[in-house]
Amino acid sequence: MRTIKVFDTTLRDGEQMPGVSLPVNYKIQIAKQLDKLGVDVIEAGFPSASKGEFEAVKEIANLGLNAKICGLARVVKKDIDQAIKADVDIVHVFIPTSKIQVEHTIKKTPDEIVQLSVDAVEYVKSHGVECMFSAMDATRTEMDFLKRIYKAVEEAGVDIINVPDTVGIATPFRFYDMIKKLKEHLNVPIDVHCHNDFGLATANTYAAVLAGADEVQVTVNGLGERAGNAPLEEVVALLYAEGFKTNIRMEYLVETSRLVERLTGVKMPPNKPIVGENAFSHESGIHAHGVLKDARTFEPGIITPEMVGHKRRIVVGKHAGRHQIKKILEDAGYVVDDEKLSIIVQKVKELGDKGKKVTDLDLFAIAESVLGEVSEKDRIINVDEVTVLTGNKITPTAVINAEVEGERKVTSAIGVGPVDATFKAVTELLGRKIKITEFRLDAITGGSDALANVYVTVEDEDGETFTARSAGADIVMASFDAVIKAVNYLMLKKKRKK
């Protein structure tokens, strides 16, 4: 049960994500949330980068948070002075160490790089401030030189070293081996910083912990340069699942994720592990049936949605089964018998087959529509077929083939539009005066495939009225269904009176 410290760099490396720029008030909100979450260190920014960055870091450093506040600096006195003036608890100094970066950036000899690093660490420590040292691009640096420079800064008094996989090229086995060798070579704590260029940031971070790393650098939602950094929520949940301790209050993970999503404008995909909308959602009938009996059947089990501030959702779609649809309806207060349930399930699957995302609202509309139907044995009108024609040079026309009180009828009518033509064809079908006194159409969800909710009130020649509703992706057919329902009820009502 080793305790692993969590170093969050959302406000520094996370903000370096293209398109992300956080004003001071946003940074303060995120810093307070990170402190509430329980991170051990908050890297608040790069104080020498700009005046605004300096002021943001200084404000955060003076908020009185429980977390230690860190500022980034190159191995130059000007940067270090700015970080110290910003009142940080830790100055994080770095220098390139891989051949490719040295050749194309600082152009120094290995001896000069080591000396610059030692001088920077000693300078930070002379001001009574903690110091972290990073050999930038460590995973592409020769191991002998990496050991040499880390040992030199250790002897200079560094408090912790960081091993960054700067360009995300590490793999778990190689990174494990690297950290293991450094752990055997050094006495200071080891921190790791993994990028996600090959989607291995979480795996590499976990491998480093297994090899002996003491601290992990992460960002909320995996924000950061290029493909981002190791996501805080994934790393923390995995460490918990594998028996490691952190100081993170996991019940605030989803809350923190959504705050950062809102303030940065970077939307999370629904299938984002741990905090994504679908992380604990189930559509497949087999999965949903199992989860309703015991969540462990189709979830990791050791991490529950409640533990991370999430909720389990049983959703509907073309893969949905009877059990989950019945459970959703029952939870919403609907009483559905087996016959009606079969019709509801079929309608849901039909919508799903058309590529429609079926929401709970869609399901409730379908259920209410089905529950509002006259039973087959009591129907006055049984429709076999309805055809509606419309177009740029076609007069809107509706043709209905139905059985009315046991008599086969086929009628047609034209109108100013397809819905009007359909209503008139129904009137012709009945052979009596029927008026549509109210017609209302609501789109339940957005988009061109939105499910339409149609409300229709019909009135006969005696002034009797009835209101019915229907729901469907096809507005014309939903309108037709609503009218037929209303007429069926109206005629049944009069028949029973007689």
Side-chain angles (χ1 to χ4, degrees):
M1 293 292 288
R2 247 190 331 132
T3 298
I4 307 301
K5 289 188 175 180
V6 176
F7 179 115
D8 183 273
T9 183
T10 302
L11 298 177
R12 199 277 299 171
D13 203 337
E15 197 192 16
Q16 289 174 207
M17 182 172 184
V20 175
S21 183
L22 298 168
V24 175
N25 61 320
Y26 282 13
K27 283 199 165 195
I28 289 171
Q29 283 186 65
I30 292 172
K32 288 180 177 178
Q33 182 66 30
L34 291 172
D35 194 53
K36 177 182 176 181
L37 183 63
V39 303
D40 299 284
V41 182
I42 297 171
E43 189 164 45
F46 196 162
S48 67
S50 69
K51 182 181 177 183
E53 187 80 348
F54 171 81
E55 290 172 353
V57 174
K58 190 176 180 74
E59 278 203 53
I60 291 169
N62 288 289
L63 287 174
L65 304 179
N66 292 315
K68 289 183 177 181
I69 307 303
C70 178
L72 187 68
R74 294 169 296 180
V75 289
V76 295
K77 286 187 178 181
K78 179 184 70 131
D79 281 16
I80 296 170
D81 287 339
Q82 281 294 92
I84 293 170
K85 286 177 187 175
D87 299 329
V88 299
D89 303 298
I90 304 169
V91 177
H92 178 189
V93 295
F94 70 95
I95 193 169
T97 55
S98 67
K99 283 184 177 180
I100 189 168
Q101 288 200 357
V102 169
E103 181 183 344
H104 295 286
T105 57
I106 59 172
K107 302 184 187 301
K108 301 286 185 183
T109 67
D111 290 343
E112 288 173 324
I113 291 170
V114 172
Q115 191 58 53
L116 284 168
S117 303
V118 168
D119 291 345
V121 171
E122 289 177 342
Y123 186 68
V124 172
K125 295 302 295 178
S126 70
H127 287 80
V129 180
E130 287 185 41
C131 184
M132 169 184 277
F133 173 80
S134 286
M136 192 159 71
D137 206 12
T139 49
R140 290 194 297 182
T141 301
E142 293 179 357
M143 180 55 76
D144 288 344
F145 183 61
L146 206 57
K147 286 181 177 179
R148 177 189 170 192
I149 196 167
Y150 280 143
K151 197 66 179 178
V153 295
E154 177 183 86
E155 291 170 354
V158 80
D159 295 282
I160 186 168
I161 65 152
N162 171 241
V163 184
D165 181 24
T166 306
V167 294
I169 55 106
T171 56
F173 294 111
R174 284 194 288 115
F175 202 50
Y176 175 93
D177 186 55
M178 179 184 224
I179 300 304
K180 188 82 170 170
K181 288 175 180 176
L182 290 173
K183 190 72 179 174
E184 292 167 353
H185 184 69
L186 303 168
N187 296 310
V188 291
I190 293 177
D191 168 277
V192 292
H193 176 107
C194 297
H195 276 267
N196 205 34
D197 295 73
F198 286 99
L200 293 171
T202 298
N204 287 333
T205 301
Y206 175 60
V209 169
L210 291 180
D214 307 279
E215 184 174 274
V216 293
Q217 290 199 13
V218 291
T219 61
V220 177
N221 297 338
L223 299 181
E225 292 272 9
R226 304 181 312 280
N229 292 261
L232 181 152
E233 56 284 351
E234 293 179 26
V235 170
V236 167
L238 178 57
L239 290 177
Y240 174 86
E242 290 299 303
F244 293 93
K245 292 175 68 178
T246 69
N247 293 317
I248 297 297
R249 300 177 183 94
M250 290 176 61
E251 64 270 24
Y252 297 125
L253 283 174
V254 170
E255 179 183 299
T256 305
S257 170
R258 289 178 180 168
L259 174 73
V260 171
E261 179 182 45
R262 179 169 58 83
L263 296 183
T264 62
V266 180
K267 295 294 181 185
M268 290 298 101
N271 61 337
K272 179 82 172 65
I274 309 302
V275 295
E277 186 180 343
N278 292 349
F280 296 93
S281 296
H282 307 270
E283 182 196 317
S284 163
I286 296 171
H287 285 227
H289 190 192
V291 166
L292 288 171
K293 290 190 172 182
D294 188 329
R296 293 172 299 177
T297 53
F298 289 100
E299 286 180 8
I302 196 164
I303 299 289
T304 66
E306 294 76 19
M307 285 173 61
V308 298
H310 219 319
K311 289 183 179 178
R312 180 175 296 106
R313 293 191 311 131
I314 305 299
V315 298
V316 291
K318 68 178 180 180
H319 304 109
R322 291 173 63 88
H323 289 89
Q324 72 203 81
I325 289 179
K326 187 176 183 180
K327 178 72 165 59
I328 294 170
L329 291 174
E330 286 177 346
D331 287 347
Y334 294 92
V335 179
V336 189
D337 60 29
D338 286 344
E339 181 186 350
K340 298 286 190 185
L341 180 61
S342 296
I343 298 170
I344 293 168
V345 171
Q346 185 58 38
K347 286 183 177 290
V348 167
K349 289 181 180 290
E350 286 172 1
L351 276 179
D353 283 337
K354 292 174 183 175
K356 164 79 176 152
K357 176 185 176 184
V358 187
T359 67
D360 284 353
L361 283 176
D362 293 333
L363 173 61
F364 299 154
I366 290 169
E368 288 171 14
S369 175
V370 171
L371 292 172
E373 289 180 354
V374 177
S375 64
E376 191 172 344
K377 66 182 178 62
D378 289 328
R379 286 178 198 158
I380 307 299
I381 306 171
N382 282 291
V383 178
D384 292 325
E385 185 181 4
V386 58
T387 303
V388 182
L389 302 173
T390 189
N392 190 31
K393 295 183 179 181
I394 299 174
T395 301
T397 306
V399 180
I400 302 173
N401 182 349
E403 189 179 272
V404 182
E405 295 182 300
E407 182 184 349
R408 173 64 52 193
K409 289 188 176 184
V410 178
T411 63
S412 66
I414 61 172
V416 295
V419 174
D420 183 49
T422 304
F423 289 168
K424 287 177 178 175
V426 172
T427 301
E428 291 288 330
L429 186 73
L430 296 172
R432 65 187 72 179
K433 194 174 180 182
I434 294 284
K435 287 195 302 184
I436 310 297
T437 59
E438 183 187 7
F439 173 72
R440 191 172 89 246
L441 175 68
D442 297 328
I444 299 173
T445 48
S448 60
D449 65 346
L451 201 67
N453 229 341
V454 179
Y455 298 83
V456 172
T457 300
V458 299
E459 181 181 319
D460 68 7
E461 63 269 26
D462 298 324
E464 294 274 7
T465 64
F466 195 87
T467 301
R469 67 180 288 177
S470 186
D474 186 321
I475 293 170
V476 176
M477 292 312 300
S479 302
F480 173 75
D481 286 343
V483 171
I484 292 297
K485 275 183 197 173
V487 170
N488 261 321
Y489 264 111
L490 192 57
M491 295 179 71
L492 180 62
K493 182 178 174 184
K494 295 187 77 170
K495 182 180 178 182
R496 285 174 175 167
K497 276 186 178 179
K498 289 178 183 177

